[in-house]
């Protein structure tokens, strides 16, 4: 999503007030492998001086092979690959494996002819992979025409859907044994399908399976792959099993507004400490959450996004609070992507645990979220905040 900055600054900050650029940190660390993407290409960064860093192609089928030293390989690359496979339809398959004891290998099986470019700067080899433009044009012409209400910007819109918890982190567990991590994955997958088929909005999941992803890496995935919105889906629990209803949260810079918000955010934020022995983030900006003008604007937009969601959720389900609330959830700490966390219901409530397990309710909730996301984008377009 291309933001019309001059228009937005006029609306929010006043004429002549410029946005503060994010703080830059010196990068004098050993080169680690990373995988990022924009609207059209995948970029893999490798240590240029290491002879184990190499790129080549194989045919029948067309494959791009990228080798790298195991010592530079970050475990979170597997989650980045999950996003890549969903984001680019011309990637038929993407796999990561140990080729030898000291070499890791990424293999992209590509539909059509891939185009590879290489650049080296400051000891970093950047390998960009995209689809041949003529093949891409043919693929676009072959796609069926889908009626859509969604606004179309020059850069395709991308929503990052984050099903909460996963793997060794089950999330909240209902009295009948329903796991939060399973329920929210079902809702997230249905939301992804609805956005694509009914609104023409591309969406990817941070996880498609029952795997654990640290909280800060979920946010990093949204940054690395240029998401326009981030929505984290949950079905949390509370100490009082009578508490019920859905809630929508945006980030707060002053802490949670009430006791329940504090309880929920503290419970969610403890996940990394409880389940990830290697908990850390290299993103200093995320660790500190700098509340400069960029962050203030993002919170403002997140609250607006939350209002669009809440107005649609309340049509299908009782809400604990009819208005977006604010709390210090770690997954909402993006400095530039509007981000919300949705508690679809309380799994510790007997009636709502039963609802959460029903496909009909999951469908209703997914449709409400899809309509809210589409409504938000339409409003951005109407107010000339997309260009």
């Amino acid at each position: 999503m291309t933001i019309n900055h001059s228009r937005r600054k006029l609306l929010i900050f006043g004429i002549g007030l410029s946005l503060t650029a994010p703080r830059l940190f010196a990068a004098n660390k050993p080169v680690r492998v990373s995988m990022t993407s924009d609207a059209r290409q995948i970029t893999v960064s490798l240590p240029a001086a290491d002879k184990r860093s190499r790129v080549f192609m194989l045919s029948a089928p067309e494959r791009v092979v990228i080798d790298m030293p195991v010592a530079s390989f970050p475990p979170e690359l597997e989650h980045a690959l999950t996003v890549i496979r969903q984001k680019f339809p011309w990637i038929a398959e993407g796999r990561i494996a140990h080729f030898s004891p000291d070499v890791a290998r990424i293999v992209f099986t590509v539909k059509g002819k891939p185009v590879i470019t290489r650049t080296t700067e400051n000891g970093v080899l950047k390998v960009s992979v995209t689809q041949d433009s003529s093949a891409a044009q043919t693929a676009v012409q072959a796609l069926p025409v889908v009626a859509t209400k969604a606004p179309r910007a020059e850069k395709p819109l991308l929503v990052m859907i984050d099903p909460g918890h996963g793997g060794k982190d089950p999330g909240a567990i209902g009295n009948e044994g329903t796991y939060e991590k399973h329920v929210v994955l079902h809702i997230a997958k249905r939301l992804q399908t609805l956005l694509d088929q009914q609104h023409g909005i591309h969406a990817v999941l941070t996880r498609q399976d029952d795997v654990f992803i640290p909280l800060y890496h979920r946010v990093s995935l949204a940054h690395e792959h240029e998401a326009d919105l981030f929505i984290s889906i949950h079905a949390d629990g509370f100490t009082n099993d009578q508490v019920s209803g859905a809630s929508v949260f945006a980030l707060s810079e002053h802490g949670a507004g009430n006791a329940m918000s504090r309880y929920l955010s503290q419970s969610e934020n403890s996940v990394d400490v409880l389940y990830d022995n290697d908990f850390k983030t290299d993103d200093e900006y995320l660790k500190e959450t700098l509340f400069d003008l960029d962050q203030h604007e993002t919170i403002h937009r997140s609250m607006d996004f939350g209002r669009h969601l809440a107005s649609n959720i309340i049509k299908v389900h009782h809400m604990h609070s009819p208005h977006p609330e604010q709390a210090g959830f770690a997954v909402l700490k993006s400095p530039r992507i509007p981000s919300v966390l949705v508690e679809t219901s309380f799994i510790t409530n007997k009636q709502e645990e039963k609802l959460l397990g029903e496909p009909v309710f999951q469908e209703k909730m997914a449709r409400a979220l899809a309509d809210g996301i589409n409504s938000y984008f339409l409003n951005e377009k109407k107010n000339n905040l997309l260009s």
Side-chain angles (χ1 to χ4, degrees):
M1 177 171 64
T2 305
I3 302 300
N4 186 329
H5 283 288
S6 58
R7 171 72 171 168
R8 191 178 295 283
K9 281 186 277 188
L10 176 63
L11 292 176
I12 298 175
F13 300 113
I15 299 174
L17 183 59
S18 62
L19 294 177
T20 303
R23 187 186 302 179
L24 299 178
F25 293 85
N28 51 5
K29 302 176 181 178
V31 177
R32 295 189 78 205
V33 174
S34 66
M35 186 188 299
T36 60
S37 69
D38 58 21
R40 60 181 297 272
Q41 70 182 10
I42 304 158
T43 300
V44 180
S45 298
L46 307 165
D50 197 305
K51 293 181 179 180
R52 291 166 292 187
S53 296
R54 61 181 188 142
V55 183
F56 58 95
M57 293 179 57
L58 297 173
S59 299
E62 296 289 342
R63 285 157 291 166
V64 178
V65 182
I66 305 174
D67 285 348
M68 66 209 71
V70 168
S72 298
F73 182 86
E76 60 266 23
L77 208 64
E78 294 186 22
H79 305 312
L81 189 60
T82 297
V83 172
I84 291 295
R85 285 194 294 253
Q86 299 171 78
K87 186 174 180 180
F88 296 105
W90 47 270
I91 296 291
E93 186 180 11
R95 293 176 288 116
I96 297 177
H98 278 81
F99 178 67
S100 69
D102 61 344
V103 175
R105 171 169 288 183
I106 300 174
V107 180
F108 293 118
T109 302
V110 182
K111 299 175 184 177
K113 281 282 185 182
V115 177
I116 300 175
T117 59
R118 301 171 177 83
T119 59
T120 302
E121 185 177 354
N122 297 328
V124 179
L125 169 63
K126 289 193 174 182
V127 180
S128 295
V129 183
T130 190
Q131 187 183 34
D132 180 83
S133 57
S134 59
Q137 184 61 35
T138 301
V140 169
Q141 291 173 352
L143 289 174
V145 177
V146 179
T148 175
K149 299 178 183 179
R152 283 295 185 187
E154 181 179 346
K155 171 184 174 294
L157 299 170
L158 179 67
V159 178
M160 183 71 71
I161 304 171
D162 175 44
H165 308 281
K168 57 191 174 183
D169 169 22
I173 303 174
N175 291 326
E176 298 300 318
T178 306
Y179 279 31
E180 178 184 4
K181 66 175 183 177
H182 297 319
V183 170
V184 297
L185 183 58
H186 293 320
I187 295 173
K189 286 184 174 180
R190 186 58 188 147
L191 173 58
Q192 182 185 36
T193 300
L194 288 170
L195 285 173
D196 178 55
Q197 294 182 352
Q198 296 198 355
H199 301 294
I201 298 172
H202 194 39
V204 298
L205 306 181
T206 56
R207 66 178 182 96
Q208 291 183 303
D209 303 297
D210 186 17
V211 297
F212 175 79
I213 306 177
L215 297 177
Y216 282 110
H217 186 55
R218 296 169 190 253
V219 186
S220 294
L221 282 172
H223 289 166
E224 291 163 1
H225 303 289
E226 297 192 351
D228 300 298
L229 288 179
F230 179 92
I231 176 170
S232 191
I233 301 176
H234 292 256
D236 223 328
F238 193 55
T239 53
N240 182 349
D241 61 10
Q242 298 304 305
V243 173
S244 65
S247 304
V248 178
F249 289 91
L251 183 65
S252 169
E253 60 186 286
H254 302 299
N258 56 53
M260 176 169 290
S261 298
R262 283 193 297 274
Y263 175 88
L264 292 176
S265 60
Q266 289 168 2
S267 174
E268 294 294 343
N269 292 349
S270 67
V271 164
D272 279 346
V273 176
L274 290 174
Y275 295 105
D276 186 8
N277 294 330
D278 298 320
F279 168 63
K280 61 182 180 298
T281 174
D282 293 328
D283 191 332
E284 298 293 336
Y285 197 77
L286 289 179
K287 283 198 293 188
E288 295 188 13
T289 311
L290 306 177
F291 290 103
D292 58 13
L293 294 183
D294 279 346
Q295 185 76 66
H296 284 295
E297 181 190 3
T298 301
I299 292 175
H300 173 87
R301 293 168 60 207
S302 297
M303 288 294 289
D304 186 38
F305 177 28
R307 282 187 283 271
H308 283 270
L309 292 175
S311 66
N312 283 277
I313 293 172
I314 203 167
K315 297 174 185 176
V316 301
H317 188 51
H318 159 69
M319 293 196 69
H320 181 72
S321 171
H323 307 291
E325 301 179 76
Q326 292 182 268
F329 290 97
V331 290
L332 303 182
K333 292 184 177 182
S334 168
R336 55 186 179 273
I337 302 172
S339 304
V340 299
L341 184 145
V342 177
E343 299 287 2
T344 54
S345 284
F346 279 86
I347 205 166
T348 46
N349 178 284
K350 184 176 181 180
Q351 288 74 31
E352 292 201 337
E353 179 185 6
K354 182 178 178 181
L355 270 181
L356 286 164
E358 296 176 355
V360 172
F361 177 79
Q362 294 172 9
E363 175 75 14
K364 285 182 179 179
M365 185 59 66
R367 286 186 179 275
L369 297 178
D371 289 345
I373 290 169
N374 188 64
S375 173
Y376 172 78
F377 278 139
L378 286 171
N379 190 64
E380 290 274 288
K381 186 70 172 180
K382 177 183 176 181
N383 290 316
N384 196 28
L385 299 177
L386 296 176
S387 60

